[in-house]
Amino acid sequence: MKLMRFGFIALCTLVVIHAAFAQSDESYRRMLTARVRAEKLPSSSHLKPYVQDGKIRLSLRDAILLTLENNSNIQIQETQIETQKFSLLGAHQLFDPALQSSLDINRYSYPGYSQLQGISQSSNAVLNTLSQTGQIKYTQTFVTGTNVVVGLSSSKSSTNSSFYYFNPYFSTSLNLQFTQPLLRNAGRFANTAPLKIARRGLAESKATFEAEVNDALLQVISQYWSAVQARGALDVQQRALQLAEVSFQRDKRALELGALPPLDISRSESEVASRKVQQIQAAYALTQMEEALRITIGADQDAEFRTLELELTENPEPTGDLANVNMDEVLLQALSERPEIAASADALAGDDISIRLARNQLKPDLSLTGFYQSDGLGGNQYDLLTGKLTSAGGLGTSFNQLFNFGYPGYGGTLTLNLPIKNRAAQGRLGSAQVVRTRDLYNERLVQEQITRQVRDAVHQLDQAKLSVAAAMTSFELAIKSLAADQRKFELGAETNFFVLDSQERLAQAELVLLQARVNYQEALAAINHASGRLLAPYHVEIDETTK
């Protein structure tokens, strides 16, 4: 029987220790990333592979990758995930085991005043006592709500009193106590609910971050094409300026030969000056667009790359047939793949857990407490009449008696705490229900916004396709018109005024065509953004450790 009791105690102790080490894989070391551990921000050395001939040469995919790696706004938004990770880690606090130990040593001396003190009867008699107590206690709470406390204590006492037949004497005690909630906080759900809520919060933060990344990438795509458009616009203005200078030089020679009246050259000279202004404005616009793109991709974070120019390799001219999309299909895909939808679902799932937990807290507090203990005693035993040592013993004797379980103690307590009113718990339940209502409206709002974005993106693409076709026709006609006016001028049928005007209209037609092509590329990006598949065309994925 004693052996069975010892085995029971040993088994319980092993279970507690095993539970402490096998509680969860969500540990500090697993959650701590190298970037969070570092005391400094990483350098932008990964820009080096893109440097060619003293320029940063970038495709659109390269710009997206650099944005994901370097953009400060994205990195700041990603720290929200790191914060939620450690909030989840903190939610494990309830199940953290605790080991408490203490050592207490006391020595006292008292003047003699009574024969009952067991010391001599002289006025100088002193009663001396020395006590030493050591205690170790292990506490663990399980997912069922069961709280287990295992304690082992030992004390040694010695005195010069002759009334103690154990001197020094050693006492030891082994205690096992458990408390199990039966209504409120009973069961696995009530105790793991904070963990589930924290995990839902982490999943929501990841989905929210992915949505923010999609918005940031749509921005960098727009900035890239804006820079491409600005570069193309500058090229158009430079060619227009060259044509105006050629016309001016031709008029200047005609004036020198007397074939052109002096007043007629002012037209071509004025056109050269006007186009120089347009070229300067186009160059400044290009600088602004490139500066915005440089900030987004992190090109100015390192002084080594700040002075390098950008060379964008993408051509806005569509290849192959223009894209056709079905609005219903895009909308169906968006409502199933957009990260905002996942974030809303995670928020509502967390709300359901919070409401269920709040209802649990309305239950009466009924708990069962039980304990089992064993005691042992040892030390040198004396005959109180003769004062002679009759049996030698010590701490080992006490432990031997302890683990023989010859002096057990056990009991149990059933406690009921029944509040007449529980307005605090009712308030928490009401607040949780309000949050769920708010998140339900938010889910509907997100769906409405996504639907509007899909429709706008599809209409934007339709408009862009029509604009590309119309702009291409206008550009081709402008080329023919310039060639015709140039030929008429050479034959003397028209003045140089019509040539300059055709040159201006050709430049405007080319700018309109460039704008239409860029709008088409941006419309494709808007379709992919609205459907939740912005990264797919560029074969880029967000790292799973971040998502």
Side-chain angles (χ1 to χ4, degrees), residues 230-244 272 274-283 504 507-508 510-511:
R231 169 61 66 183
L234 178 60
D235 293 340
V236 170
Q237 296 299 342
Q238 288 173 342
R239 289 194 296 271
L241 177 60
Q242 291 172 359
L243 290 176
V272 169
S274 175
R275 295 182 186 181
K276 281 183 178 180
V277 172
Q278 293 173 351
Q279 179 189 4
I280 293 172
Q281 292 174 341
E504 181 67 22
Q508 291 300 320
E510 190 172 1
L511 289 175

Side-chain angles (χ1 to χ4, degrees), residues 365-411:
D365 185 7
L366 178 64
S367 62
L368 175 64
T369 302
F371 76 93
Y372 180 88
Q373 74 175 43
S374 178
D375 297 295
L377 184 65
N380 294 329
Q381 187 172 0
Y382 293 88
D383 188 327
L384 294 181
L385 297 178
T386 64
K388 293 181 179 181
L389 179 66
T390 59
S391 177
L395 183 61
T397 306
S398 179
F399 272 109
N400 182 59
Q401 193 178 89
L402 172 71
F403 289 111
N404 281 330
F405 298 96
Y407 301 95
Y410 44 84

Side-chain angles (χ1 to χ4, degrees), residues 152-174:
L152 177 64
S153 62
S154 177
S155 63
K156 174 186 176 182
S157 298
S158 59
T159 180
N160 61 345
S161 173
S162 60
F163 289 154
Y164 288 84
Y165 57 86
F166 276 101
N167 194 10
Y169 71 88
F170 297 85
S171 64
T172 53
S173 179
L174 176 64

